[in-house]
Amino acid sequence: MTPSRRHVLVLLILATLAAAAALWWPRGEPKVKLETTDITVRLGDRDTDAPLDLTQNFPADARPKNLVLFVGDGMGFQQILAARIAFRGLDRPLTIERLPITGWSTTYAVGSMLTDSAAGATALATGHKSTSGSVGVDAEGQPLTTIAERAVGVGKAVGVLTDSYLWDATPAAFLAHRPTRRDRKGIHEDMMASGAELLIGGRPGELPPEITDSLFASGYRLIHQTEDAGALRTVSGPTAVLLDEDSVAEARGGFGLPELTEMAFDRLAADEDGFFLMVETEETDSGSHNHDLPRTLAGIDALDRSVATVLRRAVERRDTLVVVTADHETGGFVLHSGDVGEPLKIAW
């Protein structure tokens, strides 16, 4: 090839690269679609809430007998701050932000910096990482002992409560051992054999007869009508509460997540040996997946009110540890601007 032809070829390549750069290289402000919300940024009243003396909850020589673990599925720090602004005001922290000790955990999956609810909840339930999609098993598919199973093993009462369907990934990771979260039949079988005192969650549509039969065969009392959920306060023995999912997520009929949390706590607290209760809201995750801010924030509000209900009891008892966490963050949610008196702008 002659020098002149080489020059022409080089110029063509450079021109192509320049055109590509002009098309793909980001220029100026990032191309993020901003949404102006109906939320006006305002200041809250710091003195509205009486402080809870949580730092002195346990006697110096005591260890907690009970554990309540709250999981905001897909709940990130930006979502929490947005909920604070929406429900309480910029200067008035949520209940979950007023806890005296804050720490970090890592829930990313084996072989990936990302995770899903199955691997994330498995990390929380067992202290071990797993592959995405797996519940209660390690990366090789071998069963891991969960904190719920340890509690059952020492005679404590165990309950799981979710505003998603009962066999979803988060509750499954605490009571089941399956290579895939989609194995709902296997997860249900494991739950029936788990020894859990309370199983509370939603159900997709009508209950199949085989689910009802297996519950009864395993010794569970079944509550599946929303108006009957209050019976949770009075019945005894293993109990499964399977309500329409909307009845759990929203307090339609008076039994949303805070009310069910209160009833579950009081039931399990009657066990003299202690108890373990896991409470999850899925609304934060589903809302964020769908870029639905009102649904996301409503989930955080329900979780926060549930935590407040338990904290009031925990402070009185002085034997109950309360932990609030998330399994991962969903949606890439960003608070873009937040001047007081102005509408809140966000991006996903």
Side-chain angles (χ1 to χ4, degrees):
M1 184 179 294
T2 65
S4 60
R5 288 185 178 179
R6 280 199 298 269
H7 292 159
V8 171
L9 181 59
V10 170
L11 289 174
L12 287 173
I13 292 173
L14 291 175
T16 302
L17 291 174
L23 288 172
W24 298 105
W25 195 263
R27 293 174 295 172
E29 291 294 321
K31 294 181 179 179
V32 176
K33 182 181 179 182
L34 297 182
E35 299 177 16
T36 301
T37 71
D38 294 331
I39 301 169
T40 299
V41 181
R42 59 186 175 83
L43 297 177
D45 185 353
R46 284 181 177 273
D47 299 325
T48 301
D49 296 311
L52 292 171
D53 187 13
L54 301 174
T55 59
Q56 303 298 320
N57 194 18
F58 301 114
D61 59 346
R63 297 179 65 184
K65 184 171 71 170
N66 315 309
L67 170 61
V68 183
L69 174 64
F70 288 93
V71 179
D73 198 311
M75 181 177 70
F77 288 112
Q78 296 278 284
Q79 284 100 325
I80 291 173
L81 179 54
R84 183 208 301 181
I85 293 169
F87 292 107
R88 301 173 72 86
L90 186 60
D91 282 355
R92 189 179 168 203
L94 300 173
T95 299
I96 61 178
E97 296 179 287
R98 297 167 60 211
L99 300 179
I101 299 173
T102 301
W104 290 86
S105 64
T106 59
T107 60
Y108 56 83
V110 171
S112 173
M113 70 177 186
L114 303 177
T115 191
D116 75 325
S117 292
T122 296
L124 298 176
T126 70
H128 294 271
K129 295 186 184 301
S130 187
T131 53
S132 290
S134 300
V135 290
V137 298
D138 63 18
E140 284 70 46
Q142 297 302 308
L144 294 165
T145 302
T146 72
I147 189 171
E149 291 169 330
R150 290 182 182 274
V152 170
V154 295
K156 295 183 184 294
V158 166
V160 296
L161 164 58
T162 179
D163 57 17
S164 181
Y165 59 91
L166 180 63
W167 308 278
D168 204 359
T170 302
F174 286 85
L175 298 176
H177 307 278
R178 297 288 162 170
T180 172
R181 60 187 289 180
R182 301 186 186 282
D183 183 6
R184 296 185 186 179
K185 181 176 183 293
I187 289 170
H188 176 73
E189 292 173 354
D190 289 351
M191 285 184 170
M192 293 300 94
S194 67
E197 176 85 3
L198 292 179
L199 302 172
I200 307 174
R203 53 174 169 76
E206 294 299 319
L207 280 174
E210 57 270 23
I211 295 292
T212 303
D213 292 343
S214 65
L215 282 166
F216 292 146
S218 300
Y220 282 90
R221 180 189 299 266
L222 175 61
I223 298 173
H224 62 92
Q225 298 295 330
T226 302
E227 58 269 21
D228 296 334
L232 188 58
R233 299 184 187 278
T234 56
V235 299
S236 59
T239 305
V241 181
L242 293 174
L243 305 175
D244 181 84
E245 286 183 53
D246 289 341
S247 300
V248 186
E250 291 287 338
R252 299 169 189 168
F255 299 108
L257 193 68
E259 293 76 19
L260 290 169
T261 299
E262 177 184 6
M263 290 189 283
F265 184 100
D266 292 343
R267 267 286 304 274
L268 296 176
D271 193 299
E272 295 182 356
D273 295 317
F275 68 90
F276 168 75
L277 173 63
M278 191 284 294
V279 179
E280 179 214 15
T281 179
E282 166 70 18
E283 292 297 280
T284 43
D285 188 57
S286 296
S288 293
H289 272 298
N290 291 289
H291 296 180
D292 184 340
L293 184 62
R295 182 176 181 181
T296 301
L297 300 188
I300 295 177
D301 179 55
L303 185 75
D304 198 59
R305 287 185 286 118
S306 301
V307 172
T309 295
V310 167
L311 284 177
R312 286 191 288 269
R313 286 162 166 74
V315 169
E316 295 172 356
R317 295 177 58 92
R318 295 172 61 84
D319 64 357
T320 302
L321 176 64
V322 179
V323 177
V324 184
T325 190
D327 52 356
H328 56 79
E329 187 271 343
T330 296
F333 179 72
V334 177
L335 295 173
H336 192 266
S337 64
D339 293 331
V340 174
E342 297 294 327
L344 182 66
K345 292 183 179 180
I346 65 164
W348 296 93

